[in-house]
């Protein structure tokens, strides 16, 4: 029997996406090919374990056809092995990694797998304070990892976005962290990875870890520094956001790639194998092979020349949007942006909390999220700020010239938040504008993932 209710909701969501603009910086639109792979028959297959990791530098045609012994616990793995090997090979090439684990179901699980691989209960992780842009998985008390490990935090100057590296070094020397973590979910500048690496190398046995979930696509596109170039051991990321793939996680590492069935010595050189064993069977079971197939497609798209243009356009759009917001009296945390993301203090700008702004912009078809700002005195669901970015609208085809209109709509909506007739007029304008820019999944037969 046809499930009319669910498919009506899917249709409603498609209409919502087509008729509005997605400004949440952690969201994006996938290509028709990624969407097709996500809905493929690979969803039917259990593939606990790993494929063979040898010869991943081979030509892709060989990787996609050869049969090698594997480390799986079920039979019938010929095609799953090939598609996972393709995903691994492409991820390694994309980020300059020695190894890639493409099995994590999310960025949170990727981070937890790295913690589990390298830490013992009670060990210390030094990461960015959550109130200054860090992520929940970087030590929020409500998370499981915070109950197991000791998280200590550093901060940044909310005006400039600069870190006090001398102070971070003092904290590191005192706390002797086993992991020095650079990563964020609401930070609009670029860290000095060389300085972080220099600090971490002064701590014996310290793993240098970069959670690049938000900016992985910018790294792949060559418009953001790659932490591996500065001596980092591990990069974790999601595969959506700026990378424009399916929702999922990815762990990239430098070191010796070994047999995941054999437990290696706990050294930094062996971190790739330690992570593989931590993902499976350490922290999750069977991989989602349909998602891994979609990751492989997304990595292929990100390896194309057009993706570099896309990444550069994300940054250009964000910079212009930041300038247009400032012209309309939006106070920006750090004063602007160097990446895809903008954090705005609407409480000090307009005397209204972020929850109200999120709701009123949603009413006119502009989707973003309420967000805390540094040293926020407001409660979590009524924070002082909003967070927005440009990955999704850049995928739709918007350019710098369109940022002025978005900023103007935002200001008008906030100013007229109690005027339904004005909001309805803005809603119609946003909808008419949005329909000029089809979703990538509406473009049947696209071959290169570019827009």
């Amino acid at each position: 029997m046809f499930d009319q209710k669910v498919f009506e909701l899917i249709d409603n969501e498609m209409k919502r996406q087509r008729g509005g603009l997605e400004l949440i910086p952690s969201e994006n639109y996938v290509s028709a090919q990624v969407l097709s792979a996500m809905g493929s028959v690979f969803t039917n297959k259990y593939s606990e374990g790993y494929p063979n990791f040898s010869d991943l530098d081979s030509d892709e045609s060989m990787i996609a056809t050869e049969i090698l012994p594997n480390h799986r616990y079920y039979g019938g793995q010929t095609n799953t092995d090939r598609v996972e090997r393709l995903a691994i090979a492409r991820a390694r090439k994309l980020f300059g990694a020695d190894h890639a684990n493409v099995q994590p179901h999310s960025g949170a699980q990727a981070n937890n797998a790295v913690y589990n691989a390298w830490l013992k209960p009670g060990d210390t992780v030094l990461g960015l304070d959550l109130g200054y842009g860090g992520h929940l998985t970087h030590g929020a008390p409500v998370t499981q990892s915070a109950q197991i490990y000791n998280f200590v935090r550093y901060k940044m100057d909310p005006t400039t976005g600069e870190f006090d590296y001398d102070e971070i070094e003092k904290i590191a020397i005192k706390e002797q962290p086993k992991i020095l973590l650079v990563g964020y979910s609401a930070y609009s500048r670029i860290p000095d990875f060389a300085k972080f690496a220099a600090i971490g190398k002064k701590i014996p046995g310290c793993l240098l870890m970069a959670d690049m979930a938000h900016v992985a696509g910018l790294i792949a596109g060559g418009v953001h520094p790659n932490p591996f170039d500065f001596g980092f051991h591990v990069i974790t990321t999601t595969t959506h956001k700026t990378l424009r793939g399916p929702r999922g996680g990815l762990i990239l590492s430098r070191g010796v790639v070994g047999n995941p069935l054999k437990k290696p010595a706990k050294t930094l050189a062996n971190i790739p194998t330690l992570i593989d064993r931590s993902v499976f069977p350490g922290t999750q079971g069977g991989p989602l092979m349909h998602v891994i197939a979609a990751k492989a497609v997304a990595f292929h798209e990100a390896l194309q020349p057009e993706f570099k243009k896309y990444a550069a356009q994300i940054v250009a759009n964000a910079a212009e949007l930041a300038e247009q917001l400032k012209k309309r009296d939006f106070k920006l945390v750090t004063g602007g942006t160097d990446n895809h993301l903008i954090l705005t203090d609407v409480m000090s700008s307009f005397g209204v909390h972020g929850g109200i702004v999120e709701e009123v912009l949603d009413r006119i078809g502009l989707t973003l999220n309420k967000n805390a700002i540094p040293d926020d005195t407001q409660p979590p669901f009524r924070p002082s700020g909003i967070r927005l970015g440009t990955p999704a609208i850049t995928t739709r085809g918007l350019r710098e010239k369109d940022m002025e209109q978005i900023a103007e709509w935002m200001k008008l909506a906030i100013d007229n938040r109690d005027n339904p007739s004005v909001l309805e007029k803005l809603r119609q304008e946003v909808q008419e504008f949005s329909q000029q820019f089809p979703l990538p999944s509406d473009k049947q037969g696209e071959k290169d993932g570019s827009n």
Side-chain angles (χ1 to χ4, degrees):
M1 180 179 290
F2 180 72
D3 191 336
Q4 184 173 348
K5 292 184 177 65
V6 169
F7 283 94
E8 280 182 354
L9 292 172
I10 292 173
D11 187 54
N12 289 344
E13 175 60 16
M14 179 65 80
K15 291 175 181 176
R16 185 195 72 82
Q17 292 188 20
R18 286 174 176 153
L21 296 177
E22 185 57 70
L23 297 172
I24 295 176
S26 53
E27 294 190 11
N28 213 327
Y29 305 103
V30 299
S31 70
Q33 289 191 42
V34 170
L35 200 60
S36 179
M38 277 278 288
S40 69
V41 293
F42 275 117
T43 195
N44 299 331
K45 187 64 188 138
Y46 252 124
S47 300
E48 289 182 340
Y50 289 102
N52 195 300
F53 296 140
S54 65
D55 301 323
L56 287 171
D57 291 320
S58 301
D59 183 86
E60 283 199 359
S61 60
M62 181 178 294
I63 294 175
T65 57
E66 62 190 352
I67 299 176
L68 296 173
N70 61 36
H71 311 294
R72 306 283 195 186
Y73 289 84
Y74 293 84
Q77 302 293 344
T78 300
N79 296 309
T80 53
D81 279 357
R82 289 169 177 171
V83 79
E84 186 166 351
R85 280 169 50 78
L86 274 175
I88 293 169
R90 290 170 177 176
R92 290 170 69 233
K93 183 177 181 180
L94 196 58
F95 292 96
D98 292 329
H99 191 48
N101 190 303
V102 298
Q103 293 192 6
H105 302 330
S106 69
Q109 286 185 280
N111 285 346
N112 288 334
V114 176
Y115 298 155
N116 182 64
W118 191 243
L119 303 175
K120 302 187 303 294
D123 279 349
T124 296
V125 180
L126 176 57
L128 179 60
D129 190 287
L130 273 68
Y132 285 73
H135 189 257
L136 282 172
T137 56
H138 303 166
V142 295
T143 61
Q144 183 184 51
S145 56
Q147 312 302 315
I148 301 172
Y149 312 113
N150 174 43
F151 287 84
V152 294
R153 300 171 178 84
Y154 56 86
K155 299 180 180 180
M156 57 87 175
D157 184 328
T159 302
T160 65
E162 292 294 326
F163 295 107
D164 185 338
Y165 294 97
D166 290 336
E167 179 63 22
I168 294 171
E169 182 173 335
K170 290 178 183 177
I171 298 172
I173 296 298
K174 177 185 177 182
E175 300 290 345
Q176 295 291 296
K178 290 296 184 182
I179 293 179
L180 176 55
L181 173 58
V182 182
Y184 31 85
S185 65
Y187 180 66
S188 59
R189 299 298 184 180
I190 297 176
D192 190 326
F193 292 106
K195 289 184 178 179
F196 274 110
I199 293 169
K201 290 173 183 177
K202 294 181 179 180
I203 311 300
C206 182
L207 176 76
L208 288 164
M209 174 180 173
D211 180 348
M212 298 287 99
H214 265 267
V215 297
L218 305 185
I219 294 171
V223 296
H224 187 288
N226 186 334
F228 282 143
D229 292 340
F230 302 92
F232 275 67
H233 305 105
V234 172
I235 296 176
T236 59
T237 181
T238 51
T239 48
H240 43 290
K241 300 188 177 76
T242 53
L243 198 51
R244 207 161 58 174
R247 299 186 67 84
L250 171 68
I251 306 174
L252 303 146
S253 54
R254 287 276 180 90
V256 179
V257 183
N259 183 341
L261 298 181
K262 298 180 180 179
K263 185 177 181 179
K266 197 169 185 178
T267 65
L268 289 171
N270 287 330
I271 197 64
T273 307
L274 292 168
I275 287 171
D276 282 342
R277 291 174 59 84
S278 179
V279 173
F280 178 83
T283 56
Q284 65 181 47
L288 307 178
M289 293 310 303
H290 57 300
V291 179
I292 289 175
K295 290 176 184 179
V297 174
F299 300 155
H300 172 75
E301 292 175 353
L303 284 165
Q304 306 311 308
E306 292 81 4
F307 194 86
K308 293 185 181 295
K309 297 177 183 178
Y310 165 67
Q313 190 64 56
I314 289 175
V315 176
N317 283 350
E320 180 62 21
L321 181 55
E323 288 304 311
Q324 293 297 332
L325 289 170
K326 287 196 291 185
K327 288 180 180 179
R328 290 160 178 79
D329 300 321
F330 285 80
K331 181 181 178 181
L332 308 187
V333 176
T334 79
T337 181
D338 293 324
N339 56 28
H340 67 301
L341 182 148
I342 301 166
L343 185 61
T344 301
D345 181 353
V346 290
M347 180 62 77
S348 65
S349 301
F350 309 114
V352 60
H353 66 72
I356 291 175
V357 175
E358 177 189 291
E359 189 275 334
V360 73
L361 292 179
D362 210 30
R363 287 171 64 185
I364 71 166
L366 299 179
T367 309
L368 46 67
N369 65 276
K370 55 185 173 291
N371 209 95
I373 64 170
D375 297 320
D376 205 334
T377 58
Q378 291 285 117
F381 283 91
R382 292 187 292 129
S384 297
I386 55 171
R387 187 186 68 155
L388 65 157
T390 54
I393 58 173
T394 305
T395 294
R396 291 280 287 272
L398 277 71
R399 297 295 182 259
E400 292 99 323
K401 61 183 175 60
D402 303 308
M403 299 303 108
E404 180 177 3
Q405 179 64 81
I406 292 174
E408 182 67 9
W409 279 327
M410 290 176 62
K411 182 63 162 60
L412 288 171
I414 293 171
D415 288 346
N416 294 277
R417 56 189 178 274
D418 297 320
N419 190 329
S421 62
V422 173
L423 294 179
E424 178 56 31
K425 178 178 180 294
L426 294 176
R427 171 61 185 149
Q428 292 175 4
E429 290 179 5
V430 171
Q431 185 169 20
E432 290 174 5
F433 178 84
S434 301
Q435 289 173 346
Q436 301 175 51
F437 302 94
L439 301 183
S441 54
D442 291 334
K443 303 174 184 178
Q444 296 301 318
E446 63 175 307
K447 297 180 179 181
D448 62 7
S450 64
N451 293 287

